[in-house]
Amino acid sequence: MCAVPGPVTSAASAGCHALLRNGAVLVGRSEQVVELVGRIGELAPEDRHPETPLDGLGPAEKRVYDALPARGAHTVDEIAVLAGLPPHQVLAPLTMLELGGLVESTDGCWRIVRRRRARPRPDPTAGHAY
């Protein structure tokens, strides 16, 4: 708890003076408040967000993944051009992405693997009287 004191003769300062008597820290400048409590958000917990398989990618894998088309497939040379990397620097990230189940290669072309959302299976006994 911090308090900025006012004149002892002012009734408006009575609350601040009571806080100071009970252990509040006397502050007179904003720098003193920052020193005591830290910068805004510095000590706040980080917001939780869903984790995805893309969260664990390194810079090279992310760059190569981002170069892949949303639909269709590209050759290594096309991916290299889009990623701004030489073709020989695209192969290792593609392999890591493939091992992670994020991309696949067919006939020398690479594409993003789309995971289908699980649909609830119909209950085979629903609607039947036994």
Side-chain angles (χ1 to χ4, degrees), residues 18-111:
L19 289 172
L20 290 167
R21 280 193 303 277
N22 291 319
V25 176
L26 172 70
V27 293
R29 296 186 328 265
S30 60
E31 293 85 12
Q32 292 171 322
V33 175
V34 171
E35 182 181 311
L36 289 168
V37 298
R39 301 209 177 273
I40 294 174
E42 178 181 64
L43 303 175
E46 189 174 320
D47 290 338
R48 296 183 56 89
H49 56 84
E51 290 187 23
T52 70
L54 301 180
D55 291 341
L57 296 181
E61 288 93 5
K62 179 79 172 117
R63 194 169 178 178
V64 169
Y65 186 86
D66 288 343
L68 290 163
R71 295 186 177 182
H74 280 327
T75 65
V76 170
D77 289 334
E78 291 169 324
I79 296 167
V81 168
L82 293 169
L85 296 169
H88 70 275
Q89 289 184 5
V90 170
L91 295 173
L94 281 171
T95 301
M96 296 306 293
L97 291 167
E98 184 178 33
L99 291 173
L102 297 171
V103 302
E104 65 184 7
S105 174
T106 306
D107 299 327
C109 291
W110 293 84
R111 69 176 190 89

